[in-house]
Amino acid sequence: MDLAPEVYSMKQLNGIFVHAFLVDDGEGLTLVDTLHAVDAKPIFEELERIGRRPADIKHIAITHAHRAHLGGLAKIQQASGAPVYAHEWEADIVSGDRRQQCNTLKPMRPYILWPAQIASRVGRPAPPCPVDHLIGDGDQVGPLRVVATPGHTPGHLAFYWPERKALFASDALVNWPEFGPGWDFFMLNFKQNDQSLVKMAELDVDVLGVGHGDPIPSGGGQRLRELVSSLGLV
């Protein structure tokens, strides 16, 4: 779907309303995350809808190494030949050399997701794919600036397109079942994630993409600042 000019959003129910994003800066497409399913079907369908081909993808940016965000990576990389970018802490999980760090089995909010919490411990990892470039805070991937946002995982990244005031915050934020910080049961460091929320709230943002739940096409920065204020973080 069209989220904003040159910004496209793809959703998959499997993966709990997980989202991936395509941006077009006129020099090619940059893909942020690759959804849960290994066939990457929603991404290929979106490329066809906007009249583009896999070869038009010039960069694949990974926010973090959880299956819901990595499932289609190997398929998309093979079809596009695009280099893969990820944080150093996440890279060996992406490449299949280390399993993702497990979350607790203790029921945590939102309790409606407890079955998914259990499934995350026993599900198959994403097909492995080598990472071509290690990235960190302030680096650039296509038109996107890398914003280090640890908390959900140590190497969690957000991606910011200043010219479009678009921020792709991934699982530092969710918008299902309500708008708020990432889900408790997947959060490895709550204090770090709070600091990441404050950091992102300082950016000039209108379009806000989250990891799970619908993106916010306008007024996203204000929503984020209100959330930070309501949590007593400023």
Side-chain angles (χ1 to χ4, degrees):
M1 62 172 272
D2 293 3
L3 181 57
E6 291 82 44
V7 180
Y8 309 98
S9 172
M10 297 144 288
K11 177 173 73 174
Q12 197 165 47
L13 298 184
N14 191 9
I16 316 175
F17 306 108
V18 66
H19 277 70
F21 301 93
L22 276 168
V23 304
D24 184 359
D25 66 345
E27 298 183 6
L29 303 175
T30 298
L31 176 64
V32 179
D33 287 344
T34 62
L35 302 176
H36 184 277
V38 299
D39 61 10
K41 184 179 178 181
I43 297 172
F44 288 121
E45 289 177 344
E46 184 68 6
L47 288 170
E48 183 176 3
R49 186 188 74 84
I50 65 175
R52 307 301 290 271
R53 301 174 297 118
D56 293 321
I57 299 176
K58 303 304 180 185
H59 313 278
I60 305 172
I62 299 300
T63 60
H64 65 292
H66 283 166
R67 164 63 190 265
H69 304 266
L70 288 182
L73 176 59
K75 189 77 170 180
I76 286 287
Q77 198 285 325
Q78 182 181 32
S80 67
V84 177
Y85 302 75
H87 187 279
E88 180 178 15
W89 193 91
E90 314 284 336
D92 58 348
I93 304 176
V94 178
S95 64
D97 297 316
R98 176 168 63 95
R99 289 186 61 85
Q100 75 174 55
Q101 186 166 337
C102 292
N103 57 291
T104 178
L105 285 176
K106 177 184 177 182
M108 299 180 75
R109 296 177 179 175
Y111 297 120
I112 192 175
L113 293 175
W114 192 41
Q117 183 178 344
I118 296 172
S120 70
R121 294 289 295 267
V122 297
R124 292 184 178 181
C129 182
V131 173
D132 300 289
H133 301 287
L134 301 179
I135 52 175
D137 196 54
D139 288 338
Q140 198 79 12
V141 180
L144 305 179
R145 184 199 310 168
V146 180
V147 183
T149 50
H152 182 72
T153 66
H156 189 280
L157 301 174
F159 294 92
Y160 177 50
W161 193 2
E163 289 75 16
R164 293 292 185 273
K165 298 183 180 181
L167 175 66
F168 308 103
S170 195
D171 286 5
L173 287 166
V174 295
N175 200 20
W176 193 90
E178 61 184 11
F179 181 66
W183 295 324
D184 286 358
F185 64 83
F186 270 129
M187 192 66 63
L188 296 183
N189 190 311
F190 290 92
K191 183 176 180 180
Q192 284 186 345
N193 197 69
D194 286 347
Q195 293 169 343
S196 294
L197 295 178
V198 172
K199 182 178 182 179
M200 292 189 294
E202 294 173 348
L203 300 173
D204 185 10
V205 172
D206 190 33
V207 179
L208 180 59
V210 301
H212 300 267
D214 290 336
I216 299 170
S218 63
Q222 182 61 31
R223 291 281 304 277
L224 178 53
R225 288 188 292 273
E226 290 172 356
L227 173 65
V228 166
S229 178
S230 73
L231 295 172
L233 301 180
V234 292

